[in-house]
Amino acid sequence: MADLAFLTGATGFVGANLARLLVAKGLKVRALARKGSDRKALAGLDLDVAEGDLRDRASLDRACAGARWVFHVAADYRIWVPDPAEMNRSNIDGTVNVLKAAGQAGAERIVHCSSVAAVKLHKDGTPADETSEYPDETSIIGVYKKSKWLSERAALALAAEGLPVVVVNPAAPIGPWDVKPTPTGKIIVDFLNGKLPSYVDTGLNVVHVRDVAEGHWLAAQKGKVGQRYILAGTDMTLKAILDVLAELTGLPAPRFKTPYAVAYAFGALDELRLRLVGGEPVAPLDAVRMARHKMFFTAAKAVRELGLPQTDARTALKDA
């Protein structure tokens, strides 16, 4: 009988690609999904769906039963939320619930999907690695990044208590099955729909989502308990990303660079509008504040210790 792998977040971007990888490896796969959730990212996959919720410990205990490997990939990934406490309940409390359920089930390895949001950027723009730490949450921009930092701290604390937890920190995944899409994927969708008239001077680390999925599996096989591994690819400015998309599609790349002060003012006005009339943000102020820094990272540790593949960024953008 095939070994059982249990994962959360399979209906999302990284999770859908990880689910495909695990099925391709011949594993029995059980995926957590909320009742009534959109499951089109799992189309055609031979796996079992366990209905449950990150906040329902009993459902997690049932879903983890018998799993040799547990991959906690689910997260509330939004730059702006009307109620930060709601995000924290999923990203922090939910993480603790999953990892404890996995430990109780006797899982051999538990891989917690954190984010480079939990890694402190270097002010000079040089790539950050796993040793770059935030001293506390007060210096972290935005509720999402804070929630990922706090959930990672909780995961590492559980590892210190004896749970076999390994942490991975994906950069900006790009590729297929971003059905929602994620905030990063929305950049590509907006470009394709002609909704990016200008760009800001920022940068991302583009990593193929299939490399991220492979990184999760490699972490389960080779990762050291209590360690974190940045799953990164290629550092690129936003302009360079848009130029590659223009080459791939034949669509024009935005020619105008929006000054940071203008973007900040627009974000501040947009936030005021939300407070007055509600709705969804056009330009979340936290996103503007994050864009002031180039989010560059190195995957040297994951390449060296795990054998993380390094697919060309152009391929990732083409596949997306």
Side-chain angles (χ1 to χ4, degrees):
M1 184 175 175
D3 287 320
L4 174 64
F6 168 67
L7 75 154
T8 68
T11 59
F13 180 32
V14 172
N17 282 276
L18 177 56
R20 281 170 169 73
L21 176 71
L22 297 174
V23 169
K25 289 185 178 295
L27 300 174
K28 178 177 172 59
V29 178
R30 185 183 297 148
L32 185 77
R34 291 192 304 269
K35 188 174 182 179
S37 61
D38 184 347
R39 301 174 190 177
K40 60 176 172 279
L42 301 179
L45 280 183
D46 181 17
L47 51 70
D48 296 330
V49 173
E51 288 197 345
D53 193 286
L54 298 180
R55 306 175 193 186
D56 178 1
R57 174 63 191 271
S59 71
L60 298 173
D61 287 338
R62 290 191 296 272
C64 283
R68 181 176 178 185
W69 298 291
V70 170
F71 300 91
H72 175 42
V73 186
D76 186 344
Y77 179 22
R78 291 177 288 169
I79 302 300
W80 177 86
V81 286
D83 179 11
E86 187 75 7
M87 176 175 278
N88 289 339
R89 279 190 285 272
S90 293
N91 290 356
I92 304 169
D93 300 344
T95 290
V96 172
N97 286 339
V98 173
L99 302 192
K100 285 187 174 180
Q104 185 172 297
E108 181 180 305
R109 271 293 185 276
I110 307 165
V111 178
H112 168 58
C113 180
S114 182
S115 167
V116 290
V119 179
K120 186 180 180 182
L121 295 170
H122 291 166
K123 288 184 179 179
D124 62 2
T126 56
D129 65 13
E130 291 81 357
T131 65
S132 188
E133 299 267 12
Y134 285 108
D136 54 56
E137 65 181 286
T138 60
S139 56
I140 303 174
I141 298 171
V143 63
Y144 171 73
K145 292 184 71 170
K146 287 180 181 179
S147 75
K148 292 303 286 183
W149 182 79
L150 288 166
S151 63
E152 181 182 289
R153 298 275 292 194
L156 292 173
L158 290 170
E161 292 174 13
L163 288 188
V165 176
V166 180
V167 173
V168 292
N169 301 75
I174 296 290
W177 296 104
D178 191 359
V179 297
K180 204 172 207 179
T182 60
T184 312
K186 191 174 185 301
I187 294 172
I188 297 174
V189 173
D190 286 347
F191 172 85
L192 294 172
N193 289 324
K195 293 182 179 179
L196 279 181
S198 67
Y199 63 92
V200 292
D201 181 21
T202 191
L204 302 169
N205 183 285
V206 173
V207 56
H208 200 301
V209 69
R210 282 196 286 267
D211 290 355
V212 173
E214 185 69 31
H216 281 70
W217 174 249
L218 291 167
Q221 307 308 304
K222 302 178 182 179
K224 296 173 184 173
V225 170
Q227 294 283 310
R228 60 178 183 170
Y229 297 89
I230 292 175
L231 308 181
T234 306
D235 288 329
M236 299 179 73
T237 63
L238 179 56
K239 185 180 187 307
I241 292 170
L242 297 173
D243 286 345
V244 172
L245 289 172
E247 291 172 21
L248 290 170
T249 63
L251 297 170
R255 294 170 53 196
F256 303 105
K257 181 169 73 173
T258 301
Y260 177 75
V262 173
Y264 189 91
F266 186 82
L269 288 170
D270 195 34
E271 189 161 284
L272 179 62
R273 175 188 63 83
L274 290 172
R275 288 177 187 164
L276 294 175
V277 299
E280 291 290 316
V282 176
L285 188 55
D286 281 344
V288 176
R289 293 169 68 204
M290 283 185 238
R292 190 170 193 173
H293 308 281
K294 289 185 170 65
M295 291 164 271
F296 290 166
F297 302 91
T298 174
K301 179 180 177 180
V303 171
R304 182 177 66 250
E305 296 188 16
L306 305 182
L308 179 73
Q310 294 284 274
T311 302
D312 181 68
R314 186 184 181 89
T315 301
L317 290 163
K318 182 179 180 182
D319 289 349

